[in-house]
Every structure is written in structure tokens, then in C-alpha cells.
Amino acid sequence: MTKRVLITRERLPGGGLTRLGSRAEVVTGPGRPAELAELARRAGGVSAILALGNDRVDARLLDAAGPGLRVVSLASMGYDGVDQRAAADRGVVVTHTPGVLAETTADLTFALILAARRRIGAARDALHAGSWDVFRMEDYLGLDVYGTTLGLVGYGQIARAVARRAAGFGMRVLHHSRSETALSLPQLLAESDIVSLHVPLTQATHHLIGPAELRAMKPTATLVNTSRGAVVDEAALLRALDDGTIHSAGLDVYEREPRGTDVADLLARPGLFALPHIGSASEPTRAAMVDLAVDNVLDVLDGRPARTPLPGTKAVPA
Ligand code: DGY
């Protein structure tokens, strides 16, 4: 019998969905993750759900799918949107997409580092506004990136890819991670010119960077976040930018996503360079993420272990 697979969106990049469609009946979602009730209505009787990192996959959605659900496959590295306990209780495998997006996200991390420190957003805005009337030595001054100290919080695939790029900028690289005790977070914050966050969002990392951590950073420091918004206490960060506690910030992720027109607090700050969660958004990488997510679905539906289950979780349904 043909298996049914729910995709939480109407479209995905690359050829993965076509491949999946040749093997299963594909049911598409309403296109917007906010329409959870509609998503649950469409989930009835599916064997697999293919979702994105920001989608909420909770007990209600799992139950709406019913007892035939075997795998939730995320086309993302992050998995904080999934209720892992609810999935485990129901014997459902949960997978994600490590290994295919680290280089692309590291590129974007460097774009944020450069943009925030060199005030590229403010300079570009001035050009667009027609206010570049004369060349002045004192206009659009930022801080250097080359030769600085980069502190990486978390030291997984993306952080290591950022560290490789930092070598080309002559940077000294420090890192702090839970699995290595070499450098404490306070030490890293005090010594770094640029702090870049690369940890998953968990209870332990929620607001990992708050008022005390921002105060521990240099007044010339830049904070960059391409991980998950809630790793940073966003209100505290905005205050720290306003009162000069730190120099600048580059953000790709926020406590509230997406933002729609609710961006005044971000745009009001020249020290903040903000992007709409595009860390992995290159054509080949997004296609590779979908491909791997489809592979994980087909693995489980064909009775094989999923190739990239979440760390520490089962690769076959119970
Ligand atoms: C990821 O892979 O976690 C990105 O943030 C996209 O969801």
C-alpha cells in the first residue's frame, strides 16, 4: 500500500520532493507553520512527517498523525521545535540534517561578522538614502576583523567551519563547549573581540547570553548569532547595544520568528546587522538538506535505520 507523507510546506527547494513523490503519496501542509490546526487535520494516517527547523512538532501533531507514524524528518540541523519526549513515547524516529549545511552557515556567519564590525548596514543605508555627499575620513568607521580574537561558543560542525575561515583572517580562535573544559564561558567572553554562538537551543542554553554575559564582553566586542534566537536574551542585547556595553551584533535568528513588519527594534540600531534566518540559504545547500530529509524518510519507510537520527536517539521506530 502506498505510504502517505506529510510535508509541512507547499514547496521545498531541489528535487527531493519529486523523488519522494515517486515513492509515496505526498500531502502538503498549509504553507505557514502558524496554521497548526490545519496541519494536524492533514496529518491523519501519515507514516512520515517532513518538517522544517522552525515548525512546532508536538504531541498534538503526532497524535493527529496516528499510530502509523514512524518518522519525523527535519530538513534542518536544529531540532528545538520537536517534542522529543512525545516522539520517543510514541516510538517515532526523529532525524535532522547534519553534515550538509555547516560550510554555508559558516559563510553567513562571516558575512555577519564583517557586516556588524565594519558597519556595512549603516553605510549601505546611507548610500541608498542618497546621503553620501562627500568622502569624509570619519564616516562609517567600524572595527577590524583581521587579527582579532574570535570566541566560538559551541564547537560542532558549524563552529569548526567558522574557525577554518578565521585562519585566513589571521584571527586567534578560542572555543568553549560543554564537552571540553579547556576554556570557561566567562574567560572566553572576556578575551574575545568577536563572540559567535553555535550551540543548539536546549533548556541549558536558553538565554545563555544574558545581561551578565554581555557585561563580561569587551566594549569593542561583537556578538554574532546564527544558532537559535533564544540562546540570547534579546532584550538584554538590545539594551547592551544602546548603552555601549558592546560595540555591535550580527543576528540571523531571533526570539520571535518570523518578524513580518515587527522589525523596528532591530532596524533602529545602527550597531545591529540583522538578517531573516538565512544561515543555510544557498541553493545547493537547501537542496541537499531536503535530499537528506527525504533519504531519512525513505530509510525508515523501507525498514532501514535512519541515516541521521537526532544525537543519542534511536534510528528505527519502536
Ligand atoms: C537549521 O538547519 O537549523 C537552520 O536554522 C534552518 O532551520
Side-chain angles (χ1 to χ4, degrees):
M1 200 178 75
T2 312
K3 299 273 194 321
R4 299 179 79 216
V5 179
L6 174 71
I7 316 294
T8 58
R9 304 305 168 89
E10 286 166 325
R11 280 181 293 277
L12 291 174
L17 273 196
T18 309
R19 189 159 58 90
L20 184 61
S22 70
R23 297 284 316 281
E25 181 193 343
V26 172
V27 182
T28 57
R32 284 177 174 273
E35 293 161 20
L36 279 177
E38 176 58 20
L39 193 61
R41 212 177 52 72
R42 297 185 195 191
V46 300
S47 305
I49 297 175
L50 195 158
L52 307 190
N54 273 4
D55 292 337
R56 183 86 201 114
V57 180
D58 56 10
R60 183 175 160 206
L61 182 60
L62 299 175
D63 287 339
L69 181 65
R70 298 164 78 186
V71 57
V72 170
S73 174
L74 300 173
S76 74
M77 177 82 165
Y79 43 87
D80 45 286
V82 179
D83 184 336
Q84 283 189 59
R85 169 160 299 180
D89 287 348
R90 289 157 182 76
V92 173
V93 172
V94 184
T95 66
H96 67 147
T97 58
V100 295
L101 54 83
E103 301 297 339
T104 299
T105 307
D107 283 350
L108 199 277
T109 304
F110 249 86
L112 286 173
I113 291 172
L114 289 163
R117 274 187 90 72
R118 293 295 304 272
R119 299 221 183 274
I120 286 174
R124 186 174 185 274
D125 289 349
L127 181 66
H128 280 227
S131 55
W132 184 37
D133 50 356
V134 61
F135 177 89
R136 294 185 197 89
M137 289 289 279
E138 68 277 24
D139 278 350
Y140 318 124
L141 299 185
L143 295 175
D144 285 317
V145 173
Y146 81 92
T148 56
T149 297
L150 171 66
L152 300 169
V153 180
Y155 203 50
Q157 293 174 0
I158 299 172
R160 287 166 200 254
V162 172
R164 287 194 292 277
R165 284 154 180 76
F169 281 75
M171 296 165 97
R172 170 180 172 237
V173 179
L174 309 175
H175 67 267
H176 163 80
S177 73
R178 266 193 321 168
S179 52
E180 297 168 69
T181 51
L183 187 69
S184 72
L185 182 59
Q187 275 175 307
L188 176 139
L189 295 172
E191 283 187 39
S192 300
D193 300 298
I194 298 155
V195 174
S196 189
L197 305 176
H198 301 284
V199 289
L201 176 61
T202 62
Q203 279 183 355
T205 62
H206 183 265
H207 284 192
L208 181 68
I209 304 297
E213 289 72 26
L214 290 159
R215 277 196 303 276
M217 291 170 66
K218 298 180 185 180
T220 50
T222 300
L223 179 70
V224 170
N225 191 8
T226 52
S227 62
R228 283 292 182 266
V231 173
V232 177
D233 176 342
E234 203 171 292
L237 171 62
L238 297 183
R239 282 196 303 275
L241 289 168
D242 285 345
D243 65 20
T245 301
I246 65 169
H247 171 262
S248 48
L251 299 183
D252 188 41
V253 289
Y254 307 90
E255 289 205 65
R256 286 174 289 113
E257 290 186 20
R259 296 294 275 251
T261 54
D262 173 23
V263 285
D265 50 348
L266 305 177
L267 303 181
R269 288 169 176 83
L272 176 58
F273 188 86
L275 293 173
H277 202 147
I278 61 164
S280 59
S282 76
E283 289 182 26
T285 292
R286 285 278 166 90
M289 291 163 72
V290 175
D291 265 331
L292 180 51
V294 167
D295 287 339
N296 275 310
V297 169
L298 294 176
D299 283 344
V300 175
L301 296 191
D302 290 346
R304 294 183 297 271
R307 57 196 74 186
T308 50
L310 299 191
T313 69
K314 293 202 165 67
V316 289

